[in-house]
Amino acid sequence: QVHLVESGGGLVQAGGSLRLSCTASGSIISFNHMGWYRQAPGKQREFVSTITSTNSTNYKDSVKGRFTISRDNAKNTMYLQMNTLKPEDTAVYYCSAARLPYIYWGQGTQVTVSS
């Protein structure tokens, strides 16, 4: 069983930065890809960013140039560096990891950006 634990969320003013972490209970090397998703109140969960086992990355258009995804295999951890945060980035952020055909999710961490 794979456990993913997110951390690093919090309250920040618009224009500020946060770094989210997602630590797995075991090695992340075998994951096909890992990613971040978010869910704002009253909205569906949406894609934010993914990173493959070969460090190929993909981003939601609205976060390109502001967010950076990375992974540290030695620490079994994935990160999301979020800069120039906007109120519309407010959401619960979830990490996911795919070891096909299985997909695992963390419990989420709240990010609140005040205007």
Side-chain angles (χ1 to χ4, degrees), residues 38-46 88-92 94 110:
R38 67 188 183 188
Q39 187 167 17
K43 295 187 177 181
Q44 291 188 330
R45 191 173 299 188
E46 65 177 8
E88 51 263 43
D89 295 318
T90 295
V92 177
Y94 298 90
Q110 176 71 46

Side-chain angles (χ1 to χ4, degrees), residues 27-47:
S27 174
I28 65 173
I29 293 176
S30 62
F31 290 132
N32 304 97
H33 58 82
M34 300 181 72
W36 291 95
Y37 294 75
R38 67 188 183 188
Q39 187 167 17
K43 295 187 177 181
Q44 291 188 330
R45 191 173 299 188
E46 65 177 8
F47 158 81

Side-chain angles (χ1 to χ4, degrees), residues 1-80:
Q1 185 68 21
V2 174
H3 295 285
L4 303 173
V5 179
E6 301 100 332
S7 61
L11 173 64
V12 64
Q13 288 187 332
S17 299
L18 286 173
R19 188 178 78 156
L20 305 183
S21 300
C22 172
T23 300
S25 55
S27 174
I28 65 173
I29 293 176
S30 62
F31 290 132
N32 304 97
H33 58 82
M34 300 181 72
W36 291 95
Y37 294 75
R38 67 188 183 188
Q39 187 167 17
K43 295 187 177 181
Q44 291 188 330
R45 191 173 299 188
E46 65 177 8
F47 158 81
V48 175
S49 180
T50 56
I51 184 168
T52 70
S53 57
T54 57
N55 287 327
S56 176
T57 59
N58 194 21
Y59 295 94
K60 177 181 175 64
D61 283 347
S62 63
V63 307
K64 286 180 179 177
R66 300 189 297 123
F67 291 9
T68 304
I69 192 171
S70 62
R71 57 193 286 172
D72 185 336
N73 292 339
K75 295 183 178 180
N76 299 328
T77 300
M78 175 183 64
Y79 304 97
L80 185 68

